[in-house]
Amino acid sequence: MRSLAVLLSLSSVALASWTKNLNYRSPSEHHPGMGISLHKVNKRNDPSTAFTPSQLNFTHGVASGDPYSDSVILWTRVAPISLNGSNVDSNSTVSGYVPLYNHGPKQVSTAPVCVQFKVAKTSDFAEVESSGTAYTSSDIDYTVKVEASNLTAFTRYYYQFNVCGSNNTSVLGRTKTTPAKNDYTAEVGLAVYSCSNFPFGFFNAFGNPVRKDSVDYVLHLGDYIYEYAGNGDYGYGYSINRVPTPERVIFTLLDYRERLATYRTDLDLLASHQNYPWIAVWDDHEVADNTYRDGEADLNNTEASFVKDGGVAVDQRKMNAVRAYFEWMPIRQVEMDDNLRIWRSFSIGSLFDLVMLDTRQYDRSITDLYWNTEYVHEISNDAGRSMMGSRQENWFYSQLSDSAARGAAWRVIGSQTVFSRVNESVAYGNVDPLDYDAWDGYQANRNRTLNHLYQNNIGNNIVLSGDSHASWVSDLVWLDHANYSSSSGAGSVGVEFAGSAVSSPCPYGQNISLNSANNYSSWLVGANSELQWNDLYYRGYFELRISYDEVNASFFGMPTIINRNPYEISLANFTVKSGANALQRPVAGGVVESGALKSGKVVQTNATNSTDTGTWFVSLDNEEDL
Ligand SMILES: *[C@@H]1O[C@H](CO)[C@@H](O)[C@H](O)[C@H]1NC(C)=O
Ligand SMILES: *[C@@H]1O[C@H](CO)[C@@H](O)[C@H](O)[C@H]1NC(C)=O
Ligand SMILES: *[C@@H]1O[C@H](CO)[C@@H](O)[C@H](O)[C@H]1NC(C)=O
Ligand SMILES: *[C@@H]1O[C@H](CO)[C@@H](O)[C@H](O)[C@H]1NC(C)=O
Ligand SMILES: *[C@@H]1O[C@H](CO)[C@@H](O)[C@H](O)[C@H]1NC(C)=O
Ligand SMILES: *[C@@H]1O[C@H](CO)[C@@H](O)[C@H](O)[C@H]1NC(C)=O
Ligand SMILES: *[C@@H]1O[C@H](CO)[C@@H](O)[C@H](O)[C@H]1NC(C)=O
Ligand SMILES: *[C@@H]1O[C@H](CO)[C@@H](O)[C@H](O)[C@H]1NC(C)=O
Ligand SMILES: *[C@@H]1O[C@H](CO)[C@@H](O)[C@H](O)[C@H]1NC(C)=O
Ligand SMILES: *[C@@H]1O[C@H](CO)[C@@H](O)[C@H](O)[C@H]1NC(C)=O
Ligand SMILES: *[C@@H]1O[C@H](CO)[C@@H](O)[C@H](O)[C@H]1NC(C)=O
Ligand SMILES: *[C@@H]1O[C@H](CO)[C@@H](O)[C@H](O)[C@H]1NC(C)=O
């Protein structure tokens, strides 16, 4: 069989161009029988049925991502405009181009489309430094994902796609390579996001760093899309013209593609992708709510729950979601034979190593599925539980050691969920007071991480996390092991910056008032010794500026997301000095705009009324993790 597979491998002269589109190569170019059949696609490459350039359109802008010092991933989508115009969903309330996906049993396979790309330091492309040709087709949702190589380190580049032999072009994209592994780079800026839920509001947070031109790279820690019914089950939906299609819970490959296509109509999201290289990882909702290795919240092991899950087996649903994610996101597949793997790392000069984890889909032990909270609480301290599986854990700890050994100034860790222990008994009650879907449900895994840092004297660690829809800034502490001082930060091994959601609602109630949100924050900051600042009220994001001497974090809140606007409020600023392994005191300079600060005050200079007009309120008991 082995030799047969080799014989069947594509030997056409066009091979180079076909494989340029990375989306054809998954799961592996070494296993031609497992990915898309390029033979079949090639057979359809018949000039008599080929689309003319004017029948084609770049439907969803451009994107770039996973920058290295000499290459970057470029993305676009170029699809045929049906002659009768009906491949745009006219039922959609969303303004923008939502392609009509034929969810029927019979897929129409069309002739492949040829595109070219070029990359240069100037937007007039006077000197093209990287270029190439690639194909796409219905088999991969007309997405194009190529690696532009031959680039110079830490340099801004412009790129553009065009239909082969035609001046029908995509919009102009801008991107940036990273500093080479041991290069000195004075400062690098990141914008950090999580939880962008389309029917809940406009993605203004994505647009602001573009408008300010304030960062080098964008990080998304997951929940880039949500799998829920689009019809405003949750959120404002129709009232703000943001009902993502299909208007039901998504299960199939086409469902996930269509959902991604809807999300990618938000103009601020498009602007961010067009202007910044992204480094993204998924959380649960790229697949389903509270996913773990083998399931998700809606699966109760009851017949009803399996029928509810669209009749699609859970592993099939996961593969559908994963495939659509790889098609639509400008990310690299770092290990072609392991197509569930998105955990990967980036060396950003001698300044820092960025370790992006997958604590969710890859190999997570059973999580809180709402009906088993008590059980997961009971086992939350079991040594055998892992959020990422032993293979990834071992890799993670060696990444931390290798980074320290090579002398990188900082280690920045992208985690889906909040790392630090957070007693939320104010919301959950005293029986199960923690969020067992976060690291609190996997204490041994957290202890192994902390133990590795403490035992090996690895300092200057910055954990970034999302998922919670609120802002949490803490010293990074192994509670009960380290002799931690909440007032000085002594005993800590770093800092955690956990950011709020782009648009997903406040976990303490979508329509919560500023005052009650801040009252909850005061309780939380009082009950958790290492938690120095918390804000529940604002949707938003944070920017991180990393230099050799210090890391600065600036948190921004969106005054309103029920329409598209460029406003934001500076909520709090933090500094971490190199070698201090804790937040600089007085934390946040002693003053924040909102929430609660452990030692300091809240001065509302820019307070706004509730930005929310809906009436839906999240119940605190067994709330769904939106
Ligand atoms: C590309 O083709 C589409 C569809 O005909 C058309 O709308 C668009 O204007 C063309 N763009 C250019 C730059 O020719
Ligand atoms: C081409 O795509 C753009 C961007 O999504 C969209 O606004 C436009 O309507 C599309 N044109 C056609 C003819 O479908
Ligand atoms: C319009 O195009 C769709 C495919 O996009 C096709 O299914 C449908 O039959 C076409 N209708 C007509 C009247 O040509
Ligand atoms: C649009 O909505 C109508 C009425 O609900 C429905 O019959 C039709 O199939 C929908 N069209 C598409 C393309 O979803
Ligand atoms: C690589 O880039 C240089 C300019 O930096 C250019 O002269 C050369 O042609 C490029 N090589 C390839 C293979 O694209
Ligand atoms: C470029 O597009 C214009 C129309 O938009 C057309 O008149 C011109 O011939 C095209 N040029 C080439 C080289 O295709
Ligand atoms: C799963 O179990 C919970 C708790 O018993 C219940 O509320 C929910 O309806 C069940 N879901 C399904 C699909 O059976
Ligand atoms: C959580 O905080 C409450 C109030 O301070 C306290 O009574 C409770 O023991 C704490 N629970 C845990 C697990 O720390
Ligand atoms: C992990 O550390 C905590 C203290 O932070 C301790 O209570 C717990 O027992 C430890 N669990 C394991 C499995 O090591
Ligand atoms: C954060 O720092 C910026 C820049 O120095 C400043 O404009 C802003 O007011 C600060 N925000 C807070 C809440 O102190
Ligand atoms: C925040 O408050 C300052 C001082 O009152 C004001 O100048 C600024 O315009 C306000 N910003 C926003 C976004 O409201
Ligand atoms: C909120 O709105 C009320 C009524 O319009 C107004 O009196 C109050 O000053 C507003 N509060 C803030 C913080 O803007």
Side-chain angles (χ1 to χ4, degrees):
M1 296 307 285
R2 177 164 291 219
S3 59
L4 188 64
V6 170
L7 282 176
L8 285 175
S9 76
L10 193 69
S11 58
S12 140
V13 282
L15 179 69
S17 299
W18 289 109
T19 57
K20 262 269 190 295
N21 190 340
L22 302 171
N23 285 340
Y24 279 128
R25 289 163 55 177
S26 180
S28 172
E29 60 183 323
H30 308 303
H31 307 294
M34 293 174 77
I36 304 288
S37 166
L38 291 182
H39 273 304
K40 287 186 180 156
V41 183
N42 201 21
K43 264 194 198 157
R44 304 201 304 265
N45 197 11
D46 172 358
S48 69
T49 56
F51 296 102
T52 64
S54 66
Q55 289 176 306
L56 295 164
N57 195 16
F58 289 92
T59 58
H60 289 80
V62 293
S64 74
D66 277 22
Y68 285 171
S69 61
D70 60 352
S71 79
V72 66
I73 298 293
L74 305 179
W75 181 96
T76 194
R77 181 173 184 276
V78 55
I81 298 160
S82 115
L83 296 175
N84 63 19
S86 73
N87 70 343
V88 178
D89 188 349
S90 52
N91 283 0
S92 174
T93 62
V94 174
S95 54
Y97 187 102
V98 183
L100 184 62
Y101 286 81
N102 174 8
H103 293 272
K106 193 157 187 280
Q107 291 307 309
V108 184
S109 300
T110 55
V113 174
C114 176
V115 288
Q116 294 166 316
F117 66 92
K118 57 184 176 181
V119 185
K121 288 197 182 90
T122 54
S123 59
D124 60 1
F125 296 95
E127 273 181 52
V128 172
E129 291 183 24
S130 183
S131 62
T133 301
Y135 284 86
T136 186
S137 58
S138 47
D139 311 78
I140 48 174
D141 199 14
Y142 298 105
T143 54
V144 178
K145 184 151 89 177
V146 294
E147 179 178 13
S149 45
N150 190 38
L151 305 179
T152 311
F154 205 43
T155 300
R156 170 171 289 179
Y157 280 99
Y158 295 88
Y159 63 95
Q160 195 163 34
F161 292 89
N162 65 282
V163 174
C164 290
S166 132
N167 62 5
N168 193 332
T169 59
S170 71
V171 291
L172 179 70
R174 194 186 79 169
T175 189
K176 193 169 197 172
T177 48
T178 58
K181 195 162 183 179
N182 293 311
D183 281 5
Y184 175 91
T185 303
E187 186 182 282
V188 166
L190 309 173
V192 185
Y193 298 98
S194 59
C195 307
S196 28
N197 190 329
F198 198 83
F200 272 94
F202 285 76
F203 296 164
N204 302 328
F206 287 136
N208 286 350
V210 178
R211 289 180 271 271
K212 295 182 290 183
D213 201 8
S214 50
V215 298
D216 298 300
Y217 313 107
V218 165
L219 260 53
H220 198 292
L221 298 171
D223 292 349
Y224 178 87
I225 59 162
Y226 282 74
E227 83 289 3
Y228 293 122
N231 62 11
D233 267 8
Y234 304 109
Y236 306 123
Y238 287 110
S239 71
I240 57 168
N241 273 1
R242 281 174 71 92
V243 179
T245 61
E247 285 190 47
R248 52 182 166 72
V249 181
I250 55 178
F251 299 102
T252 67
L253 176 59
L254 262 67
D255 288 352
Y256 282 96
R257 286 172 170 170
E258 182 171 348
R259 187 57 61 85
L260 281 155
T262 317
Y263 271 58
R264 205 66 82 72
T265 58
D266 181 279
L267 295 174
D268 287 301
L269 176 58
L270 283 167
S272 179
H273 276 305
Q274 187 181 349
N275 285 281
Y276 292 122
W278 275 46
I279 297 174
V281 281
W282 52 47
D283 191 14
D284 52 337
H285 289 284
E286 280 83 351
V287 179
D289 187 27
N290 280 17
T291 43
Y292 62 107
R293 183 183 50 225
D294 319 300
E296 46 103 359
D298 270 350
L299 286 174
N300 288 358
N301 265 345
T302 59
E303 186 184 356
S305 75
F306 286 116
V307 171
K308 188 184 167 206
D309 223 13
V312 177
V314 62
D315 53 347
Q316 182 61 55
R317 184 184 189 188
K318 193 167 180 171
M319 293 317 287
N320 293 339
V322 166
R323 176 159 168 194
Y325 185 86
F326 270 105
E327 285 173 347
W328 277 78
M329 299 300 283
I331 72 169
R332 293 175 193 264
Q333 190 172 334
V334 289
E335 200 170 3
M336 293 306 273
D337 287 344
D338 188 350
N339 66 352
L340 194 56
R341 173 173 171 182
I342 58 166
W343 37 280
R344 62 201 190 283
S345 63
F346 299 82
S347 291
I348 316 287
S350 57
L351 191 54
F352 67 102
D353 285 299
L354 175 64
V355 184
M356 299 294 279
L357 301 176
D358 176 2
T359 60
R360 185 56 81 171
Q361 310 292 352
Y362 190 72
D363 202 2
R364 173 194 267 247
S365 311
I366 193 166
T367 191
D368 182 357
L369 307 170
Y370 310 123
W371 49 268
N372 64 349
T373 306
E374 230 171 288
Y375 168 68
V376 176
H377 175 182
E378 255 168 51
I379 63 171
S380 60
N381 200 21
D382 280 9
R385 280 168 67 66
S386 176
M387 263 188 140
M388 38 193 161
S390 57
R391 181 148 188 275
Q392 185 185 178
E393 266 199 52
N394 288 333
W395 168 85
F396 177 34
Y397 306 142
S398 6
Q399 291 288 309
L400 296 171
S401 294
D402 292 352
S403 174
R406 84 175 181 95
W410 302 89
R411 277 136 294 286
V412 179
I413 298 148
S415 160
Q416 282 74 21
T417 61
V418 175
F419 185 84
S420 301
R421 179 164 83 194
V422 189
N423 179 342
E424 291 189 71
S425 70
V426 65
Y428 303 139
N430 264 322
V431 180
D432 304 307
L434 311 179
D435 177 358
Y436 302 96
D437 183 56
W439 286 79
D440 273 332
Y442 303 80
Q443 291 185 46
N445 194 165
R446 179 168 59 203
N447 291 1
R448 289 192 286 271
T449 307
L450 291 166
N451 184 50
H452 189 83
L453 297 175
Y454 281 99
Q455 289 301 313
N456 298 291
N457 279 319
I458 301 174
N460 284 357
N461 308 299
I462 306 286
V463 175
L464 313 176
S465 31
D467 176 74
S468 78
H469 311 179
S471 303
W472 314 83
V473 172
S474 309
D475 289 325
L476 201 64
V477 188
W478 193 358
L479 293 168
D480 312 331
H481 279 248
N483 195 5
Y484 172 64
S485 158
S486 187
S487 56
S488 73
S492 164
V493 271
V495 167
E496 174 171 25
F497 294 113
S500 186
V502 168
S503 64
S504 305
C506 169
Y508 285 64
Q510 184 189 350
N511 302 308
I512 197 164
S513 70
L514 184 57
N515 277 347
S516 28
N518 288 353
N519 287 341
Y520 279 121
S521 291
S522 300
W523 189 95
L524 291 162
V525 162
N528 294 282
S529 65
E530 75 289 22
L531 179 63
Q532 297 289 332
W533 177 65
N534 166 259
D535 179 71
L536 297 166
Y537 184 71
Y538 284 104
R539 311 303 85 213
Y541 70 103
F542 63 99
E543 291 184 356
L544 212 60
R545 246 164 276 288
I546 304 170
S547 63
Y548 289 88
D549 293 340
E550 60 187 41
V551 169
N552 288 291
S554 316
F555 282 70
F556 297 97
M558 304 292 112
T560 177
I561 53 169
I562 62 168
N563 54 37
R564 185 171 186 230
N565 69 74
Y567 304 120
E568 66 183 17
I569 297 169
S570 169
L571 298 180
N573 300 317
F574 303 89
T575 297
V576 187
K577 291 280 186 197
S578 178
N581 292 316
L583 291 156
Q584 171 83 355
R585 269 54 181 181
V587 174
V591 186
V592 294
E593 164 73 30
S594 181
L597 184 64
K598 198 184 291 294
S599 312
K601 52 187 179 174
V602 177
V603 178
Q604 293 171 8
T605 55
N606 290 84
T608 53
N609 272 303
S610 168
T611 56
D612 299 328
T613 56
T615 51
W616 181 71
F617 194 90
V618 186
S619 90
L620 294 175
D621 271 348
N622 286 336
E623 67 181 272
E624 283 210 72
D625 169 28
L626 283 167

